[in-house]
């Protein structure tokens, strides 16, 4: 289970960090990608486009390195749920748009049921990470071992 | 089994910790996102199209009817500020494509436009500001007869059949 959690953390973390960097570089193009879904409008889109990529970056780094893993995987699960619904609704409405997932470039990654499937797969991994108690090879574990060397010791836990 | 070790309490602790961490990440993302865009004058902090030099004259902005009449007069060149991908899908008939991103990288693209025609910049519609930014750049480059078709592509395609698709 430890290795499965570690693999999930590294894969999802890498994907989200990679997805965030292009959007951070050009928030206006990402705002346009959001507008193309025709779900939200107005200047609030720019606020989303400013904050969302940084959330993806921080949560991606969080699960990758094992820092605030629960909060990070909660954020990733939440954003993936929203993305999945948005992409599925765009496909059902017949919109011919880019998903804006990895790049704000409209020529990259058009929406489709494959994209919905990929999102659902990543959502399953993110929920697994959220539920997993494994802290193998994480900064959290390293920090706990430094600060409280007896943390997690069953004998110590029983005597408490 | 002590109260502390009950599964319900363990999950409650799990969720409390997750929400607390997510809250910290959200605040950090807000600070970093707003700070970064402010520093680079992007997005929310880009110098607003509400106060560009061209807003001094509201006649710069043209309606769909005015755009149509300029189109029929053949005295105007329509310039599509959207991404090349969107332009290739469909655009106003005869329009040339000058994506705002490519102009940022290569301002030299502006020099070859005709000076004896009205230049009409457009993008998707009122929710995008590429047409305004393109018009600003055209004026900076010395073009004097520049208009902005603010309702842009969305208004044109729903009203006119004068559209064309680029061969790919």
């Amino acid at each position: 289970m430890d290795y499965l959690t570690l693999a999930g953390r590294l894969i999802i973390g890498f994907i989200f960090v990679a997805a965030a960097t292009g959007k951070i570089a050009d928030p206006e193009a990402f705002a346009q990608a959001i507008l193309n879904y025709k779900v939200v409008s107005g200047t609030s889109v720019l606020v989303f486009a400013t904050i969302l990529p940084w959330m993806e970056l921080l949560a991606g780094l969080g699960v990758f390195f094992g820092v605030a893993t629960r909060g990070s995987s909660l954020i990733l699960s939440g954003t993936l749920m929203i993305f999945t619904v948005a992409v599925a609704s765009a496909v059902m409405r017949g919109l011919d748009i880019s998903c804006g997932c990895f790049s704000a470039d409209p020529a990259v990654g058009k929406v489709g049921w494959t994209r919905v499937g990929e999102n659902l797969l990543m959502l399953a991994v993110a929920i697994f990470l959220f539920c997993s108690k494994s802290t193998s090879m994480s900064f959290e574990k390293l920090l706990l071992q430094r600060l409280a060397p007896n943390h997690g010791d069953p004998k110590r836990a029983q005597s408490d | 089994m002590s109260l502390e070790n009950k599964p319900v309490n363990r999950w409650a602790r799990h969720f409390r910790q997750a929400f607390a961490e997510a809250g910290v990440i959200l605040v950090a993302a807000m600070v970093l996102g707003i700070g970064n865009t402010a520093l680079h004058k992007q997005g929310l902090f880009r110098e607003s199209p509400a106060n560009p030099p061209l807003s001094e004259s509201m006649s710069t902005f043209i309606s769909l009817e005015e755009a149509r009449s300029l189109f029929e007069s053949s005295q105007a060149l329509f310039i599509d500020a959207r991404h090349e991908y969107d332009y290739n899908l469909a655009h106003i008939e005869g329009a040339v494509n000058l994506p705002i991103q490519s102009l940022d990288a290569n301002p030299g693209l502006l020099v070859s436009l005709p000076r004896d025609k009205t230049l009409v910049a457009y993008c998707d519609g009122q929710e995008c500001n590429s047409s305004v930014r393109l018009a600003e750049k055209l004026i900076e480059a010395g073009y004097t007869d520049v208009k902005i078709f603010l309702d842009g592509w969305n208004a044109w395609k729903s009203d006119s059949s004068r559209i064309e698709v680029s061969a790919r």
Side-chain angles (χ1 to χ4, degrees):
Chain A
M1 190 60 83
D2 278 357
Y3 287 114
L4 208 58
T5 305
L6 181 61
R9 271 179 35 212
L10 295 181
I11 293 168
I12 289 285
F14 178 78
I15 289 172
F16 267 82
V17 171
T21 44
K23 300 174 197 168
I24 287 171
D26 194 349
E28 282 153 357
F30 181 47
Q32 186 58 52
I34 299 174
L35 278 171
N36 291 343
Y37 280 90
K38 303 193 191 311
V39 176
V40 281
S41 60
T43 49
S44 61
V45 171
L46 263 182
V47 178
F48 285 122
T50 303
I51 296 168
L52 195 62
W54 283 94
M55 266 174 66
E56 288 181 349
L57 181 72
L58 294 176
L61 287 172
V63 292
F64 191 90
F65 290 108
V67 182
T69 315
R70 287 174 186 174
S72 299
S73 50
L74 179 68
I75 284 180
L76 297 187
S77 305
T79 49
L80 278 165
M81 278 180 208
I82 295 167
F83 293 163
T84 308
V85 171
V87 173
S89 111
V91 177
M92 285 192 282
R93 284 179 290 151
L95 295 182
D96 182 24
I97 57 171
S98 151
C99 83
C101 308
F102 291 93
S103 165
D105 185 340
V108 178
K110 299 220 335 199
V111 293
W113 289 115
T114 318
R115 186 69 67 185
V116 176
E118 285 169 8
N119 275 3
L120 284 173
L121 194 65
M122 287 195 286
L123 176 60
V125 178
I127 292 173
F128 166 72
L129 292 179
F130 177 72
C131 297
S132 173
K133 291 186 173 60
S134 167
T135 53
S136 176
M137 291 187 69
S138 70
F139 273 96
E140 267 168 357
K141 188 178 181 185
L142 200 73
L143 200 67
L144 272 176
Q145 280 172 345
R146 292 246 166 165
L147 295 176
N150 292 322
H151 184 87
D153 181 348
K155 287 178 190 168
R156 173 68 189 262
Q158 273 176 1
S159 67
D160 283 346
Chain B
M1 186 182 282
S2 72
L3 196 66
E4 188 65 12
N5 289 331
K6 274 190 176 172
V8 171
N9 288 321
R10 275 211 307 273
W11 277 106
R13 257 204 329 272
H14 190 92
F15 270 91
R16 265 203 306 274
Q17 185 188 346
F19 276 105
E21 288 175 356
V24 173
I25 292 171
L26 178 63
V27 171
M30 287 167 77
V31 171
L32 286 168
I34 292 169
N36 180 60
T37 46
L39 197 67
H40 294 99
K41 292 198 176 354
Q42 289 174 311
L44 290 168
F45 297 92
R46 183 176 293 282
E47 278 163 31
S48 168
N51 300 310
L54 39 85
S55 69
E56 288 162 15
S57 161
M58 284 311 287
S59 63
T60 306
F61 295 93
I62 59 169
S63 65
L64 176 62
E65 288 70 30
E66 289 166 308
R68 204 186 298 123
S69 102
L70 273 170
F71 180 88
E72 299 299 340
S73 74
S74 303
Q75 281 306 303
L77 176 67
F78 283 73
I79 307 177
D80 191 322
R82 299 175 303 156
H83 192 279
E84 187 188 353
Y85 176 81
D86 294 315
Y87 171 84
N88 285 338
L89 285 178
H91 53 261
I92 295 177
E93 195 180 300
V96 296
N97 186 212
L98 281 180
I100 198 73
Q101 293 90 347
S102 62
L103 280 183
D104 288 338
N106 185 7
L109 290 171
L110 284 175
V111 297
S112 56
L113 298 169
R115 290 185 182 270
D116 59 339
K117 285 197 167 189
T118 304
L119 302 179
V120 181
Y122 74 92
C123 52
D124 275 316
Q126 295 203 5
E127 67 273 15
C128 62
N129 65 358
S130 312
S131 56
V132 177
R133 287 169 58 201
L134 174 61
E136 284 174 341
K137 286 183 187 294
L138 289 167
I139 290 169
E140 280 167 22
Y143 293 95
T144 49
D145 193 2
V146 178
K147 305 284 182 196
I148 301 168
F149 174 27
L150 203 57
D151 290 329
W153 171 244
N154 292 333
W156 187 271
K157 74 176 173 190
S158 57
D159 184 76
S160 172
S161 58
R162 307 301 295 268
I163 60 177
E164 66 182 3
V165 175
S166 291
R168 277 186 279 177

